[in-house]
């Protein structure tokens, strides 16, 4: 039995979630290989090779993998899939885009966002935005899944895996990468920040969102997050949306400011170690998942809190 992990990276840095995927893969107690597909991503291949528990890094290096399309990743995975009994990745937009295509090409089931691995082919996953947990079993010969990163501890460094190059199928011609716009910020990345300050629609405008929350985030060295309502209203950029249809975070400290606590939002932050909620409505659902709650007007208390932090 062999396990293959699809690694997410930006050609320079391996995503921390790969360490969590390696821990998930340990369940099968079998050799774990990691696929690093990119353009001269040698440093990333080295990072993957140094994760404890990884036996081999399969390095796919090609110009067209600099900004990989899901189609190219899928055909690459399928081309090397023989001999692997489990193919997995940490659950993210990247893996959600690529792995269902692999499922279709191999004619097997896609098992998404696994919270717990119960047996070789049996998994716990949530439905209805986390309101119901289901235990499912796949009888497919190859198990294809994404895992909910924050439910698995990160594998530590200390490995020394071999790195092997692999043949790469021709690039997909019907679509091509043109450009991408990345928001620039000197704040920590949302997905890996230790502290997250999130704001809701209650902030009232993009200017107030920035004016009220940024000083607090700056003082705490925190990433900024937002609810979908705040994003839809244009108060915050799409890439900081936390929740079921946004980013899933599990920081040490999550401060929810004027956030109602809808299940689609809490799905993305409920694994946070400590949750602080500030809301003027004592019945707001966010207080049900909060360790500390403050019933107050955010426009009064956030400036006070920010001033009090040295
Ligand atoms: C399929 C689907 C997917 C979704 N995915 C997501 C997702 O990924 N992430 C997400 O966040 N949402 C998601 N949503 C939307 C979600 O259901 C909620 O509508 C949204 O989270 C509400 O955002 P909010 O708390 O900012 O706004 P509101 O519901 O408007 O709540 C505002 C809160 O602020 C409080 N408040 C108002 N003024 C103040 C003040 N001055 N001081 C303190 N508190 C104040 C209010 O009491 C209220 O609790 C999704 C919905 C659907 C249907």
């Amino acid at each position: 039995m062999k396990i293959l992990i699809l690694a997410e990276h930006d050609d320079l840095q391996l995503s921390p979630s790969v360490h969590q995927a390696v821990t998930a893969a340990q369940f099968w107690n079998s050799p774990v290989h990691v696929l690093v597909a990119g353009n001269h991503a040698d440093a990333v291949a080295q990072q993957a090779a140094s994760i404890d528990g990884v036996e081999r890094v399969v390095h796919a290096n090609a110009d067209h993998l600099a900004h990989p399309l899901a189609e190219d990743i899928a055909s690459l995975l399928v081309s090397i899939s023989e001999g692997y009994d489990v193919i997995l990745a940490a659950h993210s937009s990247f893996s959600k885009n690529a792995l269902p295509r692999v499922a279709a090409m191999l004619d097997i089931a896609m098992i998404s966002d696994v919270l717990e691995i119960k047996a070789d082919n049996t998994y716990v996953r949530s439905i209805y935005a986390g309101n119901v947990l289901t235990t499912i079993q796949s009888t497919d010969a190859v198990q294809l899944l994404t895992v909910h990163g924050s439910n698995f501890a990160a594998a530590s460094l200390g490995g020394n895996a071999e790195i092997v190059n692999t043949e790469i199928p021709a690039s997909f011609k019907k679509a091509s990468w043109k450009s991408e716009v990345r928001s620039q910020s000197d704040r920590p990345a949302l997905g890996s920040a230790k502290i997250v300050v999130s704001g809701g629609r209650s902030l009232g405008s993009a200017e107030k969102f920035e004016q009220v929350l940024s000083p607090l985030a700056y003082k705490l060295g925190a990433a900024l997050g937002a609810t979908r309502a705040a994003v839809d209203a244009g108060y915050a950029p799409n890439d900081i949306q936390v929740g079921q249809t946004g980013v899933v975070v599990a920081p040490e400290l999550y401060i929810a400011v004027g956030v109602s606590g809808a299940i689609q939002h809490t799905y993305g932050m409920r694994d946070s170690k400590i949750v602080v909620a500030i809301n003027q409505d004592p019945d707001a659902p966010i207080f049900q998942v909060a360790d500390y709650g403050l019933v107050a007007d955010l426009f009064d208390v956030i400036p006070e809190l920010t001033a009090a932090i040295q």
Side-chain angles (χ1 to χ4, degrees), residues 200-201 227-228 241-245 258 260 264-265 279 297-298:
R201 174 159 43 197
T227 65
R228 177 157 154 183
Q241 181 184 314
V242 172
Q244 185 192 356
T245 45
S260 60
Q264 295 91 353
H265 183 80
N279 195 306
D297 187 327
L298 72 92

Side-chain angles (χ1 to χ4, degrees), residues 1 29 38 45 49 52 65 82 84 112 119-120 134 143 152 160 167 181 190-191 200 239 250 260 274 276 278 302:
M1 190 171 207
N29 210 10
D52 197 19
L65 294 176
E82 196 163 328
Y84 289 107
S112 293
D120 282 359
T134 54
Q143 305 284 302
F152 299 88
N160 188 20
E167 298 275 307
V181 179
L190 178 60
D239 59 355
S260 60
I274 295 174
V276 173
I278 297 155
I302 296 299

Side-chain angles (χ1 to χ4, degrees), residues 115-300:
L115 301 174
E116 187 188 344
I117 304 168
K118 288 251 182 217
D120 282 359
N121 61 355
T122 308
Y123 313 93
V124 177
R125 59 184 301 274
S126 69
I127 55 173
Y128 300 114
N131 266 0
V132 177
L133 296 181
T134 54
T135 300
I136 57 159
Q137 190 174 55
S138 166
T139 53
D140 284 326
V142 178
Q143 305 284 302
L144 181 69
L145 56 142
T146 59
V147 294
H148 194 82
S150 56
N151 275 35
F152 299 88
S156 53
L157 293 173
N160 188 20
E162 63 168 343
I163 301 176
V164 298
N165 292 323
T166 188
E167 298 275 307
I168 298 154
S171 68
F172 184 75
K173 296 284 181 232
K174 291 184 184 164
S176 61
W177 180 91
K178 289 294 178 199
S179 67
E180 69 189 20
V181 179
R182 285 176 184 251
S183 43
Q184 301 293 323
S185 168
D186 41 17
R187 292 192 192 104
L190 178 60
S192 53
K194 291 201 161 35
I195 305 177
V196 174
V197 175
S198 268
R201 174 159 43 197
S202 49
L203 270 300
S205 71
E207 292 71 33
K208 286 190 206 151
F209 195 94
E210 192 62 29
Q211 280 164 13
V212 175
L213 298 186
S214 271
L216 178 61
Y218 178 77
K219 277 206 168 168
L220 293 171
L224 271 186
T227 65
R228 177 157 154 183
V231 170
D232 287 350
Y235 304 164
N238 181 274
D239 59 355
I240 67 165
Q241 181 184 314
V242 172
Q244 185 192 356
T245 45
V247 181
V248 174
V249 298
E252 303 285 325
L253 173 62
Y254 188 89
I255 305 179
V257 181
V259 169
S260 60
I263 50 168
Q264 295 91 353
H265 183 80
T266 55
Y267 180 87
M269 45 67 70
R270 62 177 180 216
D271 294 331
S272 305
K273 301 273 181 314
I274 295 174
V275 175
V276 173
I278 297 155
N279 195 306
Q280 64 184 10
D281 174 5
D283 296 324
I286 193 69
F287 289 126
Q288 290 166 19
V289 294
D291 300 286
Y292 298 91
L294 181 59
V295 179
D297 187 327
L298 72 92
F299 294 106
D300 294 334

